[in-house]
Amino acid sequence: MRSVNYGKDILAGPRRRKVPEIPAEPGLVVEDPASGFCGAVLRVEKDTVVLEDRHGKQRLFPMRPAAFLFEGKPATLVPVRGGAPAKPKQSASGSVRVEGLRARTARGSRIWVEGRHDAELVERIWGHDLRVEGVVVEPLHGVDDLPGLLAEFAPEPGRRVGVLVDHLVPGSKESRLVEGIDDPDVLITGHPYVDIWEAVKPQVLGIPGWPRVPRGTDWKQGVCAELGWGEPADGWRRVLSSVSSFRDVETPLLGAVERLIDFVTEPS
């Protein structure tokens, strides 16, 4: 009978992978798998670390071996060696900025906005947060066919849809369009402005206020004509380039977008 060489001891069991040690630099985003809390490192206190989520909520966690997830994999946080850590930077939305960010794989959920300008302004302010969370923003080019688009998308838990609607005020065409949509996996929020341009604070653009445009006149055309901004494409470049952070837009837009991000990222 021939002998068989089995090589290594088959009873020894598989070797455990070494869990990497990662310096707890401010701004480093990790997750506590036990609670699901995800946040950026704010500071280290002895053998604990303070994490802050994108809403400013802070929690204290012990720095045990393999206690956190970094980019989805177990990791051990260790204190930073040599000198005091730098203060975490803020993103344009006011959240803690993640340095060296690798965009998270896109979720099944989506945020829909009315048009390209809406998408570009949301990206300008919340782009960093959206990449951290893995959320895709898609322009619809109007919400007239919103019920049909939702039926085609077929929202469900883990595949939700958040919709940002312009001029969502009582009695408007937009409010009448969305009032019949009732789905637990769909959230529709909006702002009172005729167009997303109007959500940018006038003082940011160096104007006393947004002009009143007569009914029957295209709003963007009317605004550009009144302010001498040329064509709407020229006006939009002026508006977008003037926005650098959440402080440059009105509160109703901030609240509407934050609610949508929370809705499409909350656990199913």
Side-chain angles (χ1 to χ4, degrees):
M1 180 180 294
R2 296 177 61 186
S3 63
V4 179
N5 182 9
Y6 287 101
K8 297 179 181 178
D9 183 359
I10 62 173
L11 299 180
R15 290 186 178 180
R16 293 184 177 180
R17 288 187 177 182
K18 186 177 180 181
V19 176
E21 293 186 348
I22 300 177
E25 297 274 4
L28 180 79
V29 174
V30 295
E31 180 180 349
D32 171 50
S35 64
F37 187 89
C38 182
V41 172
L42 194 63
R43 62 183 180 275
V44 172
E45 300 176 352
K46 294 184 179 180
D47 56 351
T48 60
V49 61
V50 179
L51 301 182
E52 182 178 69
D53 70 8
R54 51 186 297 273
H55 303 292
K57 183 179 179 181
Q58 298 178 12
R59 287 188 60 179
L60 187 70
F61 295 95
M63 293 171 64
R64 300 191 183 100
F68 300 94
L69 295 179
F70 174 67
E71 295 185 350
K73 297 178 181 179
T76 299
L77 290 187
V78 295
V80 178
R81 294 180 180 178
K87 185 178 180 181
K89 297 179 181 179
Q90 283 191 331
S91 71
S93 71
S95 65
V96 175
R97 185 172 187 83
V98 183
E99 301 298 338
L101 170 68
R102 292 181 183 178
R104 178 174 175 170
T105 302
R107 298 172 182 264
S109 300
R110 294 288 186 269
I111 291 179
W112 290 350
V113 296
E114 289 205 38
R116 181 174 62 85
H117 292 177
D118 305 73
E120 288 177 348
L121 186 59
V122 169
E123 163 64 26
R124 187 84 169 187
I125 299 174
W126 291 274
H128 181 79
D129 304 61
L130 295 169
R131 285 184 286 279
V132 169
E133 299 288 355
V135 177
V136 175
V137 176
E138 298 176 339
L140 298 179
H141 309 294
V143 292
D144 291 345
D145 192 33
L146 183 58
L149 292 170
L150 288 171
E152 182 180 344
F153 187 85
E156 60 183 8
R159 185 178 157 82
R160 289 176 152 186
V161 176
V163 188
L164 180 69
V165 179
D166 296 342
H167 201 218
L168 195 61
V169 295
S172 69
K173 178 193 74 173
E174 291 81 3
S175 65
R176 292 192 297 271
L177 179 69
V178 306
E179 64 184 4
I181 298 173
D182 184 14
D183 187 317
D185 296 308
V186 176
L187 176 65
I188 298 172
T189 68
H191 55 76
Y193 310 110
V194 174
D195 191 278
I196 195 76
W197 292 27
E198 201 178 6
V200 177
K201 294 178 178 178
Q203 59 266 34
V204 173
L205 293 155
I207 59 177
W210 287 100
R212 290 186 177 274
V213 177
R215 286 196 175 190
T217 301
D218 179 83
W219 191 85
K220 292 173 184 174
Q221 290 279 2
V223 165
C224 289
E226 181 72 23
L227 297 174
W229 285 357
E231 294 300 314
D234 303 314
W236 175 241
R237 283 192 289 270
R238 181 189 293 261
V239 172
L240 187 62
S241 64
S242 299
V243 175
S244 60
S245 80
F246 70 97
R247 297 178 180 86
D248 297 329
V249 297
E250 303 287 0
T251 301
L253 177 64
L254 294 176
V257 176
E258 289 286 345
R259 286 178 60 202
L260 293 179
I261 296 176
D262 289 345
F263 179 74
V264 299
T265 58
E266 69 182 16
S268 301

